[in-house]
Amino acid sequence: MIHGESHKISRSGWLRAAVLGANDGIVSTASLLTGVAAANSSPHSILLAGVAGVVAGAMSMATGEYVSVSSQADTERAAIAEEQAELEENYQAETHELASIYVHRGLSRELAHEVATALMKHDALDAHTRDELGISDTSSARPLQAALFSAGSFTLGAVIPFAAALLLQGIAGIVIAALLALIILGAVAARAGGAPVLRSVIRVSFWSSLAMALSGVTGALFGHFAG
């Protein structure tokens, strides 16, 4: 019988990148526009700053995600290569090592050794990669996927406060639009990941409001002293 269960943890890789990108797109763009608007800038300057912020932010998210996740992937490949060398050097010792892992997880020594031996015969490297190194298809690093999801979701998130600045032309409209989008994003992300919705919404609303408030105060002070 085929095991047909589907768990939400399988979404963790792309969901993390997408939520991070969208959240950053909304917060950073709204904060930027709020700060520029609070400095008594012209509507043209505010929109120009918004365009620059969207493009720079999307490229920054894509680059940052690709570099960081690529580093993780390099580390994983190095660890797997090291494990492969150890298997070729001392297969029996690696079998005992795998069995000891199963003993610590609750199996008897006899059953642990039997399971380790069977898994080693089936695919020794896969067994050690999964159970010793903790690397699986769910958790393995995918740099390009993370970069594309982050850049795309950042752009989609940034469009919301930018559209508010374009249509409403006021700090209040930018902040309200951003907070509503963040509340929806937090709720959808929590539901998709199986996490508590209210906790996610409160967390994203509080920190995002703080970021926009500090940006607004900074912009107002700069506008006051510069003027």
Side-chain angles (χ1 to χ4, degrees):
M1 183 178 294
I2 298 175
H3 182 66
E5 289 187 6
S6 176
H7 297 283
K8 292 183 173 65
I9 189 63
S10 62
R11 309 169 182 169
S12 61
W14 65 263
L15 182 62
R16 181 196 67 84
V19 171
L20 177 62
N23 185 83
D24 195 24
I26 297 171
V27 175
S28 62
T29 305
S31 299
L32 174 63
L33 293 171
T34 300
V36 175
N40 296 319
S41 302
S42 66
H44 179 268
S45 298
I46 295 172
L47 295 179
L48 183 60
V51 171
V54 171
V55 175
M59 294 301 99
S60 176
M61 285 293 294
T63 302
E65 279 291 306
Y66 187 82
V67 170
S68 63
V69 179
S70 292
S71 297
Q72 178 186 340
D74 290 342
T75 301
E76 290 178 356
R77 283 192 291 267
I80 292 173
E82 182 179 0
E83 194 63 39
Q84 178 66 61
E86 291 175 355
L87 285 168
E88 294 173 357
E89 181 179 340
N90 197 333
Y91 185 91
Q92 194 61 35
E94 291 298 305
T95 303
H96 289 304
E97 183 180 28
L98 192 61
S100 68
I101 292 174
Y102 299 143
V103 169
H104 285 298
R105 292 180 181 177
L107 298 184
S108 65
R109 291 190 177 278
E110 294 76 14
L111 181 57
H113 184 74
E114 183 180 344
V115 171
T117 301
L119 290 176
M120 292 280 285
K121 287 181 179 178
H122 176 69
D123 191 332
L125 182 60
D126 179 71
H128 279 271
T129 298
R130 181 184 61 251
D131 294 325
E132 182 182 350
L133 303 179
I135 301 173
S136 65
D137 290 337
T138 301
S139 62
S140 60
R142 295 178 175 86
L144 186 59
Q145 181 192 68
L148 292 176
F149 267 110
S150 295
S153 58
F154 179 97
T155 303
L156 291 176
V159 165
I160 296 171
F162 182 78
L166 181 63
L167 299 175
L168 303 178
Q169 297 184 352
I171 295 177
I174 296 172
V175 172
I176 292 172
L179 285 176
L180 287 176
L182 287 165
I183 289 172
I184 294 172
L185 175 65
V188 170
R191 180 63 64 87
V197 174
L198 182 59
R199 182 190 304 170
S200 178
V201 168
I202 292 175
R203 181 171 55 218
V204 71
S205 299
F206 173 77
W207 290 108
S208 301
S209 298
L210 181 61
M212 288 184 283
L214 290 175
S215 298
V217 170
T218 302
L221 290 175
F222 181 81
H224 174 74
F225 289 113

